[in-house]
Amino acid sequence: MTENTPIGTLVVTLNATDLDEGLNSEIVYSFTLYTSEKTQDVFALNPDTGEVTVKGTIDYEDIKFYEMHIEARDKGTYPLLGNCKVVLHVMDMNDNYPEITIQSVKNTVEENIPVGSVIALVGIRDIDTGDNGKVSLSIQQSMPFILNKSSDRPMHYKLIVSEPLDRETVPEYDIMLIVTDAGTPPLSDNETITVHLLDVNDNAPQFPQSFYTIRVMENNAPGALLSSLTAFDPDLHENQYLVYFIVEKEIANTSMSMLFSINPENGNLYALKTFDYEIEKEFLFHIEARDSGSPPLSSNVTVHIIIVDQNDNTPVIVSPWRAHGSVVEEKIPRSTDKGSLVAKVIALDTDSVHNSRITYQFLQVTDATLFSLDQYNGEIRTMRMFSYRDPRQQRLVVVAKDNGEPALSATVTIKLSTVETAVKAYSDMTEVSLEYDIFSDLNLYLVIGLGSVSFLLLITILVTIVLKCQKPKPSKAAPPCRNSVISERNSTIADSTLVSNDAYWYSLFLAETRKGKLVVRQPVPKGSRYIVSSIPRGTGQTETSDSAASTLQVWNEI
């Protein structure tokens, strides 16, 4: 019979016969003294029918067979009896679970434990027989551990490390061992081993970025927080306690520690001075983070400090040059054509490209229809020609404004005076050709009057020269002066000449002769005489031959 047969199950029925009659034929069944108590506890015997039934638990692992000694006795006055022996063999059933025994285990190991190290010794067993008692051991899921079966003790295993361990990845392992028998159906059991990993200083500090760019506005307050350069160390305890410091580097004999400061505990970076973009535009250095492990590990990061320009410099007007105050006086001929350049305003700003972008505009102008101003290059040009209604004095106020926020500006006032048109000349002071000027009626009368006076003065000067040439003066030779006239700058006539603003030439009709007009044209440097040219009548060209009125050379006063 099989083990674990249910209680009440009929095992066997005994049948004894007696040929007598009446009470002498009635039989009673019972266990003899040779039947053990254990057997009598497991089986029951019906005294009337001889049926043997199960009344207790049948366990193959406890008793593999039972032996029952039974007698049959009649009810006669002198009872007679018969004996028999019943042997019951118990068939094994897979009713026992396999067992795991942890004989030795290391529940705490360092994360750098070598591969192949033994973590635990494990034993297994199953008290069933046959296939029911055949067991195997395995790990539930893939882990960096393997089971190594002992060669001399087949039911014993070693749990060993098969791969490098990393506490920062997995701080602990719950290793579930499963033992299974080969019965039908198979039975299994499990046991869990927990392994904690101890930290080892195997990780250097890590910055979130390998390169930091920090922009700092110039004129910052000393001690201002620039940024927080916090590194991370995945280790534990003292292995993750970090200390920050600036890697020393000198720029122009200045140490970085004199310009910046870093909190050694949290990596906050501070500026120790006020920066000026116009002097210092950027800094490049390294920050190092070091842990407190043994040995300590460290890493560094590059920090690029960029000083951002602030619009803190006002534009400076460098042209036109102002000798006194901010008022510039200029002169321009009234005959100036449309589109002519009157003046050019140039301003400089030492701020950055964005803040130093200059634009120009009129703040005040006497006649807005007369002048135009280029907002980008500062050129002031005429929009039309001057008329007799235009005032001789023009006042232009130009503002040069930068592109900052808020914008800064500078102004210049130009007092523009219009003068009558002058005759142009060459700067090398050679002989010049006649250029007939166009005069207004009023100027024409003035020239005629001045010409008459000049003619009389010229006659007087010629007579005086002729008289002096007749006197013998060997020590002082007179300059060549045939048919020539000299006019001093400080003379009354010279002071009445017309002035051209851009070249400062003076022109004057002195007299009209048979050959033409005599014209004085000369720059006005102090102490210089005028050049007097004879201009042929009608052709307008200056004659250079000896037959014409010659041109006096320039004589500087000594």
Side-chain angles (χ1 to χ4, degrees):
M1 63 175 303
T2 60
E3 63 177 333
N4 300 322
T5 298
I7 295 174
T9 301
L10 177 65
V11 177
V12 65
T13 300
L14 299 177
N15 184 19
T17 60
D18 193 328
L19 298 177
D20 294 326
E21 294 180 356
L23 292 175
N24 294 330
S25 65
E26 294 181 8
I27 299 173
V28 176
Y29 300 91
S30 63
F31 289 113
T32 67
L33 296 176
Y34 295 102
T35 302
S36 65
E37 293 182 359
K38 179 65 175 175
T39 301
Q40 294 182 38
D41 292 337
V42 175
F43 298 97
L45 176 61
N46 189 318
D48 298 325
T49 62
E51 293 178 352
V52 179
T53 59
V54 178
K55 72 171 185 178
T57 300
I58 300 175
D59 188 359
Y60 174 84
E61 289 72 34
D62 187 13
I63 300 176
K64 294 181 174 51
F65 66 91
Y66 292 91
E67 189 176 285
M68 294 177 285
H69 295 271
I70 302 172
E71 65 178 10
R73 187 187 298 267
D74 60 24
K75 295 182 181 181
T77 305
Y78 300 99
L80 299 176
L81 55 85
N83 296 307
C84 73
K85 183 173 71 172
V86 179
V87 178
L88 295 176
H89 291 275
V90 180
M91 296 176 59
D92 182 44
M93 297 292 293
N94 191 24
D95 59 342
N96 289 283
Y97 287 86
E99 299 176 357
I100 299 176
T101 304
I102 307 298
Q103 299 175 350
S104 177
V105 64
K106 295 179 180 177
N107 294 109
T108 303
V109 296
E110 292 185 342
E111 62 176 320
N112 63 345
I113 184 172
V115 174
S117 300
V118 178
I119 298 297
L121 296 176
V122 183
I124 59 175
R125 74 187 184 98
D126 194 325
I127 60 177
D128 290 327
T129 59
D131 290 342
N132 297 329
K134 293 180 180 179
V135 291
S136 61
L137 186 65
S138 63
I139 299 176
Q140 181 187 28
Q141 58 187 19
S142 177
M143 287 189 174
F145 303 95
I146 60 174
L147 289 167
N148 191 358
K149 190 174 184 179
S150 177
S151 58
D152 54 342
R153 303 174 66 185
M155 303 298 285
H156 291 79
Y157 292 82
K158 292 179 181 178
L159 180 64
I160 62 176
V161 179
S162 61
E163 299 176 14
L165 305 181
D166 186 8
R167 187 206 65 82
E168 288 71 38
T169 304
V170 181
E172 69 177 21
Y173 292 91
D174 290 326
I175 308 169
M176 180 178 289
L177 303 177
I178 299 177
V179 60
T180 305
D181 62 23
T184 303
L187 300 178
S188 63
D189 196 6
N190 63 76
E191 191 73 29
T192 300
I193 298 176
T194 301
V195 178
H196 299 276
L197 301 185
L198 297 177
D199 182 57
V200 175
N201 191 30
D202 57 348
N203 290 280
Q206 300 174 0
F207 285 93
Q209 302 173 216
S210 60
F211 191 91
Y212 284 88
T213 299
I214 303 173
R215 299 182 180 275
V216 180
M217 186 69 68
E218 68 170 328
N219 303 317
N220 58 292
L225 175 65
L226 304 183
S227 181
S228 182
L229 309 178
T230 304
F232 171 73
D233 194 322
D235 293 324
L236 289 179
H237 309 306
E238 67 276 358
N239 295 331
Q240 71 172 172
Y241 295 152
L242 303 182
V243 177
Y244 303 87
F245 56 91
I246 297 176
V247 179
E248 287 299 331
K249 178 182 178 181
E250 290 190 357
I251 298 180
N253 297 326
T254 301
S255 172
M256 288 293 101
S257 297
M258 299 177 63
L259 302 176
F260 303 97
S261 169
I262 190 167
N263 189 315
E265 296 181 358
N266 56 26
N268 287 343
L269 185 64
Y270 300 91
L272 297 181
K273 60 167 288 186
T274 300
F275 297 109
D276 186 354
Y277 173 83
E278 285 69 39
I279 300 176
E280 303 159 317
K281 292 181 173 56
E282 62 179 2
F283 301 93
L284 194 68
F285 56 92
H286 299 283
I287 297 294
E288 182 172 312
R290 180 181 299 169
D291 63 28
S292 302
S294 181
L297 300 178
S298 63
S299 63
N300 59 55
V301 65
T302 302
V303 178
H304 186 200
I305 303 292
I306 299 177
I307 308 302
V308 179
D309 181 54
Q310 198 175 38
N311 193 27
D312 57 347
N313 289 282
T314 303
V316 177
I317 295 178
V318 297
S319 177
W321 181 75
R322 297 166 293 176
H324 302 288
S326 60
V327 178
V328 177
E329 295 185 0
E330 295 286 351
K331 295 182 180 181
I332 183 175
R334 291 187 66 85
S335 62
T336 299
D337 294 333
K338 174 185 177 181
S340 298
L341 179 65
V342 176
K344 183 179 177 68
V345 179
I346 301 175
L348 298 179
D349 194 318
T350 57
D351 288 322
S352 68
V353 176
H354 178 76
N355 291 327
S356 64
R357 191 174 299 137
I358 304 296
T359 55
Y360 305 89
Q361 63 185 34
F362 281 129
L363 193 60
Q364 294 180 10
V365 58
T366 303
D367 188 346
T369 65
L370 188 55
F371 301 100
S372 67
L373 172 62
D374 191 301
Q375 64 173 335
Y376 298 111
N377 60 25
E379 291 182 352
I380 301 175
R381 295 182 179 273
T382 55
M383 298 175 63
R384 58 176 175 81
M385 295 187 66
F386 289 93
S387 67
Y388 69 93
R389 296 186 182 88
D390 294 324
R392 292 186 176 273
Q393 299 290 332
Q394 299 284 336
R395 186 173 183 270
L396 310 176
V397 180
V398 179
V399 58
K401 184 184 298 184
D402 63 24
N403 197 42
E405 184 63 38
L408 301 178
S409 61
T411 60
V412 59
T413 301
I414 301 175
K415 292 180 65 176
L416 198 63
S417 301
T418 58
V419 296
E420 298 302 331
T421 305
V423 181
K424 296 182 180 179
Y426 293 101
S427 59
D428 57 0
M429 289 180 291
T430 58
E431 285 190 9
V432 295
S433 61
L434 177 64
E435 297 179 4
Y436 288 99
D437 296 330
I438 302 175
F439 299 93
S440 63
D441 295 339
L442 179 62
N443 291 336
L444 181 60
Y445 296 144
L446 177 61
V447 170
I448 293 176
L450 292 175
S452 302
V453 175
S454 299
F455 177 76
L456 296 177
L457 179 61
L458 178 61
I459 296 300
T460 304
I461 292 174
L462 290 175
V463 172
T464 304
I465 291 175
V466 170
L467 295 176
K468 287 187 176 182
C469 288
Q470 294 177 356
K471 296 181 180 181
K473 291 185 179 181
S475 59
K476 294 184 180 180
C481 57
R482 185 170 64 94
N483 296 329
S484 63
V485 178
I486 298 176
S487 176
E488 298 292 339
R489 180 179 183 275
N490 57 4
S491 67
T492 303
I493 298 177
D495 289 340
S496 301
T497 58
L498 301 177
V499 180
S500 174
N501 176 52
D502 53 352
Y504 299 100
W505 287 99
Y506 285 72
S507 299
L508 174 66
F509 286 105
L510 295 179
E512 186 171 351
T513 64
R514 290 176 304 170
K515 291 185 176 182
K517 298 178 181 178
L518 295 179
V519 181
V520 178
R521 306 183 65 197
Q522 177 67 20
V524 197
K526 183 178 181 181
S528 298
R529 302 178 185 273
Y530 287 95
I531 298 176
V532 181
S533 300
S534 175
I535 304 171
R537 184 191 303 266
T539 62
Q541 301 293 326
T542 302
E543 295 182 3
T544 57
S545 63
D546 292 338
S547 62
S550 62
T551 301
L552 296 182
Q553 302 298 322
V554 177
W555 299 89
N556 293 331
E557 294 181 5
I558 302 176

